[in-house]
Amino acid sequence: MTGAQALIKSLEMEDVEVIFGLPGGAILPVYDPILDSSIRHILVRHEQGAGHMAEGYAHVTGRPGVAMVTSGPGATNIVTPLSDAAMDSIPIVVITGQVATGSIGTDAFQECPITGVTMDVTKHNWLVTDAQDIPRVVAEAFEVATTGRPGPVLVDVPKDVSNAQMDWYWPSSASDLDLPGYHPASEGDPRAVREAAKLILSASRPVIYAGGGILKAHAADELKELAERTGIPVVTTLMARGAFPDSHPLALGMPGMHGNYTAVTAMQRADLLVALGARFDDRVTGKVAAFAPEAKVVHVDVDPAELGKVRQPEVQIAGDARRVIAELLRALEALGSATAELPASSRPDLGPWMAQIRAWQKQFPLAYRQEEGGALKPQYVIETLRDMTPDDTIVVAGVGQHQMWASQYWRFDYPYTWVNSGGAGTMGFAVPASIGAKVGRPGKMVWAIDGDGCFQMTAQEIVTASAERIPVKIAILNNAYLGMVRQWQELFYEERYSEVYLSPDLPDYVKWAEAMGAVGMRVETAEEVEPAIEKANGIDDKPVVVDFRTDAFEKVYPMVPALASNDDIIVGPTYGEGGR
Amino acid sequence: MKPPVRHHIVSARVENKAGVLARVSGLFSRRGFNIYSLAVAPTHDERFSRITIVVDVESAPLEQIVRQLDKLVNVVEIAELAPEEATERELLLATVRAAPADRGQVIALVGVFEGTIVDVGLDAMTVLLAGSPSKIDDFEALIRPFGIVELQRTGRVALPKLARRAARLRAVPSVGGDGAS
């Protein structure tokens, strides 16, 4: 068997059902056995699309997404998705072709040292120099991508290695892998877990700070149990939307720079933060020195390097969130019933804290106003879309204002229904990621909520969706601007708008959608929103693009200005702002 | 040149594979930290190498770097060695000007430091000295006046002190922490 055949067979052994990719010279040998494989291949129009599709697939299924591209520019085009996946801990496996081993280092045609280029944006990468290593390296790649803190990996396969003969085998157990330095954390230290339980039982203003690690660890059920057993309210970060149901009475929604007032302020006033699979990102903390000044911190993360990276915790627990929460529940039970040291009966009453939280929620709700006959508000489009789609609809966002509004105004009641680029902030993520999500969950409705700036970066993948009959739906919140940058220029650069205007009708999004084999629609008024969504929901054999012409003056609120304390949250616009 | 005041020793056992050194050093360079010295060679088990890095950096970022290094798939074990808890050695090779009139003094100096003369030319000698970094520093300062043609130090290698010896040596600080030579 050739190395190429072994590579495809190895992917089959890993139960890969789909590869997103685009062939080229150095990867040619590997594309031949794809014709005989059970694995579906989706031919993308740009390699960046393949990477984001693999990410979207991984986001919604929890299984590693696989992308395959050629050497040189094919490989460099997928660096952005690798970086994106590294920031958001998304398991993807990228296979790249490489020039023949004898040509490496000679500046051969389409040569690029991709293992060096991607060293800092992958969890690990491999250059395969012997065809006999292929099954073992593929098995190692999947092991590393999916265990511990998940992340992207890359396997670089030179053309002569693909063409070489090898004797097939498959590593039957972990001991057949050559990973002597890889030991992901799993269980928490029992003493630390007990300390954490004590802090929980002695706190009077506690908040659970749930991050994307909850979803990676499949710990949504355990999180709910912890919240309900302790009565502690939960904020869900941008990466954790859906990890705790927004309709739950203990749900506070999203914290951070564009979080709601209650989520932000509850963290600021808390006397205990229970951080579960969260990494104290600067978009959550604002100015670190002023973040949650009175709070003790319990930090649980599968990655020991996150503990104390930004905020020194009182109790740090390196472990898998699901297992640690289960251990924590047992420790709480033991403290409540088995010891007199700190019985649950002596626990402070959380009543006043919850009353304060309810008061904030009542006083500072998210707000916008859609005036009759007035400009179409982006929030109105999102709320209408939310109300007209099934509860388990998968929502995929790009990066910018539309992303924040989608996170704020959607109601996420199920895990794995929210897909976005959080840490890296990759514009253009939504279109390809929504395609990957729909491939992973074909039975669910998938709506991308995109910006006009983002859409133009990767829209060509709609051709892929049309050709492969992947019926994603894309709502462009078209305000004719790079809206988030415009918002900052309006608020912090004295309305000096520099290079942010895009035009509402160049390109013509409806014609462009139609040219790519999709249905295109345009919506200019609030009255047209419902009929358009109804029509889009009814189309199930091709992609749909709806061009919503929204109000360019609308800004994302609340907002904590960059580097400011979260106490300086701006709840909403002042009268007359933005030329009104 | 004296080692920096805030120097820390990081000792890592890594897989003996291509690219591992780049991964390790990359975690320092991407934060703008300079590596003061670096020594790498296979251990008694050929599958692994030991990397000893001396770096001039504050303790807090170093702890973060060590945790990041520990995450590297190829890093098997890693520890920061406090200088007082480590046995450290370094090797120096120097070609020193030694015209016939000075030759005797250079030979005497090498003898005092228990070094070795490894090469002799008409007006220069190459000398070798292995020892603790501070001893190497002292020797370097004393031979400098003769005129150094070329000098190369290996950077230090270090292993943790054994518990039973460390306890004894702590009571005798004047030995200089290595108890040898």
Side-chain angles (χ1 to χ4, degrees):
Chain A
M1 164 181 310
T2 65
Q5 290 166 330
L7 179 55
I8 294 301
K9 188 162 179 182
S10 298
L11 296 176
E12 290 170 355
M13 295 301 286
E14 290 288 353
D15 295 325
V16 173
E17 54 176 15
V18 59
I19 298 172
F20 304 95
L22 195 143
I27 197 75
L28 261 171
V30 188
Y31 266 81
D32 188 72
I34 284 180
L35 289 172
D36 307 318
S37 173
S38 59
I39 301 175
R40 177 183 183 190
H41 182 276
I42 290 175
L43 176 62
V44 301
R45 265 51 179 179
H46 185 287
E47 291 89 349
Q48 184 189 358
H52 292 320
M53 286 178 205
E55 287 188 85
Y57 176 91
H59 260 279
V60 298
T61 63
R63 302 179 55 202
V66 179
M68 188 152 74
V69 297
T70 195
S71 64
T76 55
N77 277 344
I78 210 160
V79 172
T80 298
L82 286 168
S83 175
D84 190 273
M87 289 289 265
D88 288 346
S89 309
I90 308 301
I92 63 170
V93 177
V94 171
I95 313 286
T96 48
Q98 181 56 278
V99 300
T101 45
S103 301
I104 290 177
T106 66
D107 300 329
F109 177 65
Q110 290 192 333
E111 183 188 353
C112 172
I114 199 66
T115 50
V117 169
T118 60
M119 196 174 275
D120 284 351
V121 295
T122 52
K123 188 171 169 187
H124 194 61
N125 60 28
W126 290 259
L127 169 66
V128 184
T129 52
D130 183 344
Q132 199 59 37
D133 293 341
I134 286 174
R136 177 179 55 77
V137 168
V138 170
E140 287 171 5
F142 277 79
E143 170 73 9
V144 170
T146 56
T147 54
R149 179 180 186 164
V153 297
L154 180 143
V155 179
D156 198 23
V157 188
K159 194 171 186 179
D160 58 325
V161 175
S162 303
N163 281 327
Q165 290 293 318
M166 59 83 68
D167 297 319
W168 171 256
Y169 64 97
W170 183 245
S172 54
S173 73
S175 59
D176 293 336
L177 305 181
D178 184 19
L179 296 170
Y182 184 67
H183 308 291
S186 56
E187 286 153 16
D189 169 15
R191 276 200 359 224
V193 170
R194 204 178 129 85
E195 284 307 306
K198 281 189 199 166
L199 284 181
I200 286 172
L201 291 181
S202 53
S204 45
R205 299 188 310 281
V207 172
I208 293 174
Y209 163 23
I214 294 289
L215 294 170
K216 305 304 181 324
H218 299 274
D221 290 345
E222 285 76 5
L223 171 63
K224 198 168 160 202
E225 197 180 340
L226 178 67
E228 288 176 349
R229 287 256 290 271
T230 58
I232 301 179
V234 181
V235 300
T236 42
T237 68
L238 182 65
M239 293 311 298
R241 305 290 289 131
F244 190 74
D246 280 336
S247 58
H248 196 284
L250 290 169
L252 302 186
M254 182 174 75
M257 180 176 270
H258 293 296
N260 70 75
Y261 181 89
T262 305
V264 172
T265 309
M267 291 179 93
Q268 284 302 94
R269 299 285 158 269
D271 67 349
L272 177 69
L273 291 180
V274 183
L276 304 171
R279 60 181 178 85
F280 293 81
D281 181 79
D282 56 82
R283 287 308 192 252
V284 168
T285 62
K287 187 178 171 188
V288 174
F291 174 65
E294 292 150 46
K296 290 183 175 169
V297 172
V298 171
H299 195 175
V300 178
D301 204 290
V302 73
D303 178 358
E306 287 300 337
L307 305 173
K309 183 181 84 175
V310 175
R311 169 81 172 242
Q312 197 58 45
E314 271 68 23
V315 177
Q316 47 178 286
I317 303 171
D320 173 78
R322 185 168 157 193
R323 297 175 76 153
V324 173
I325 296 173
E327 291 161 16
L328 201 49
L329 286 165
R330 280 194 294 277
L332 285 166
E333 202 163 321
L335 282 173
S337 54
T339 78
E341 191 187 346
L342 192 67
S345 56
S346 72
R347 197 179 162 205
D349 177 16
L350 297 190
W353 178 231
M354 287 312 296
Q356 172 67 77
I357 283 170
R358 297 287 174 244
W360 285 328
Q361 284 174 326
K362 204 169 163 208
Q363 193 182 351
F364 301 109
L366 291 170
Y368 72 96
R369 195 162 52 191
Q370 176 64 59
E371 277 166 23
E372 213 167 309
L376 179 59
K377 296 293 183 181
Q379 300 97 323
Y380 174 77
V381 174
I382 291 168
E383 286 202 311
T384 310
L385 190 57
R386 175 195 74 197
D387 294 342
M388 292 181 67
T389 48
D391 287 346
D392 65 349
T393 297
I394 292 169
V395 184
V396 186
V399 169
Q401 288 182 311
H402 67 275
Q403 174 194 26
M404 293 296 109
W405 285 318
S407 177
Q408 290 175 335
Y409 285 90
W410 204 268
R411 203 164 34 232
F412 295 99
D413 278 337
Y414 297 93
Y416 314 109
T417 57
W418 167 241
V419 180
N420 85 133
S421 165
T426 306
M427 285 180 67
F429 179 80
V431 170
S434 66
I435 294 168
K438 184 69 178 172
V439 170
R441 287 285 177 261
K444 287 195 178 183
M445 188 177 280
V446 176
W447 268 97
I449 296 175
D450 213 2
D452 46 326
C454 277
F455 182 82
Q456 291 189 50
M457 287 194 177
T458 50
Q460 80 283 343
E461 296 309 336
I462 292 170
V463 178
T464 305
S466 296
E468 297 277 345
R469 300 207 175 280
I470 303 164
V472 292
K473 306 179 200 305
I474 297 154
I476 307 173
L477 302 183
N478 175 8
N479 62 1
Y481 277 96
L482 297 168
M484 189 59 96
V485 184
R486 184 199 178 283
Q487 172 167 343
W488 283 57
Q489 290 180 347
E490 179 181 328
L491 297 176
F492 307 118
Y493 290 85
E494 295 155 346
E495 299 183 45
R496 286 162 55 84
Y497 298 114
S498 176
E499 304 298 326
V500 286
Y501 181 67
L502 295 176
S503 159
D505 43 22
L506 179 66
D508 181 325
Y509 293 99
V510 173
K511 283 188 187 163
W512 193 9
E514 286 167 354
M516 292 188 287
V519 174
M521 287 185 255
R522 178 164 298 128
V523 171
E524 287 173 297
T525 65
E527 296 73 50
E528 296 165 17
V529 172
E530 281 191 30
I533 292 172
E534 195 175 333
K535 188 177 166 199
N537 283 345
I539 297 168
D540 211 29
D541 58 346
K542 52 172 70 175
V544 186
V545 177
V546 188
D547 171 18
F548 291 98
R549 298 287 179 86
T550 59
D551 184 1
F553 287 101
E554 197 61 34
K555 287 175 285 297
V556 183
Y557 283 113
M559 177 174 197
V560 178
L563 303 175
S565 159
N566 281 354
D567 290 335
D568 300 330
I569 184 168
I570 304 166
V571 177
T574 47
Y575 182 72
E577 179 189 286
R580 303 300 173 88
Chain B
M1 214 203 306
K2 287 271 176 202
V5 183
R6 272 196 323 267
H7 79 263
H8 295 265
I9 309 163
V10 176
S11 174
R13 191 159 68 94
V14 303
E15 288 185 75
N16 184 4
K17 281 183 181 168
V20 177
L21 180 59
R23 290 175 201 276
V24 169
S25 60
L27 281 172
F28 290 90
S29 65
R30 76 161 91 152
R31 289 171 171 78
F33 296 145
N34 183 37
I35 290 174
Y36 179 78
S37 80
L38 177 92
V40 195
T43 64
H44 59 283
D45 183 340
E46 282 280 330
R47 291 174 302 155
F48 305 110
S49 292
R50 182 163 293 281
I51 301 183
T52 307
I53 299 171
V54 178
V55 64
D56 175 8
V57 55
E58 303 280 356
S59 296
L62 182 67
E63 189 187 332
Q64 180 52 215
I65 293 175
V66 169
R67 287 185 177 203
Q68 296 286 353
L69 286 167
D70 201 15
K71 273 167 68 173
L72 293 176
V73 168
N74 299 128
V75 172
V76 180
E77 271 171 11
I78 185 156
E80 191 200 336
L81 295 178
E84 64 275 13
E85 288 162 10
T87 298
E88 302 175 73
R89 286 294 180 276
E90 192 171 355
L91 187 143
L92 168 145
L93 274 178
T95 300
V96 188
R97 286 199 199 290
D102 294 334
R103 219 176 256 167
Q105 290 181 58
V106 173
I107 291 168
L109 201 54
V110 170
V112 168
F113 277 84
E114 298 182 323
T116 317
I117 291 158
V118 290
D119 197 10
V120 182
L122 289 175
D123 57 356
M125 288 193 288
T126 296
V127 303
L128 176 155
L129 182 69
S132 69
S134 60
K135 179 178 164 182
I136 304 272
D137 288 343
D138 292 345
F139 180 71
E140 191 182 324
L142 287 164
I143 58 166
R144 195 168 285 280
F146 294 99
I148 289 172
V149 180
E150 256 189 296
L151 183 144
Q152 177 66 57
R153 294 171 68 150
T154 56
R156 67 191 72 181
V157 293
L159 286 176
K161 271 187 187 156
L162 304 177
R164 65 186 169 84
R165 295 193 58 197
R168 183 171 61 82
L169 288 169
R170 277 207 189 97
V172 197
S174 59
V175 177
D178 59 37
S181 61

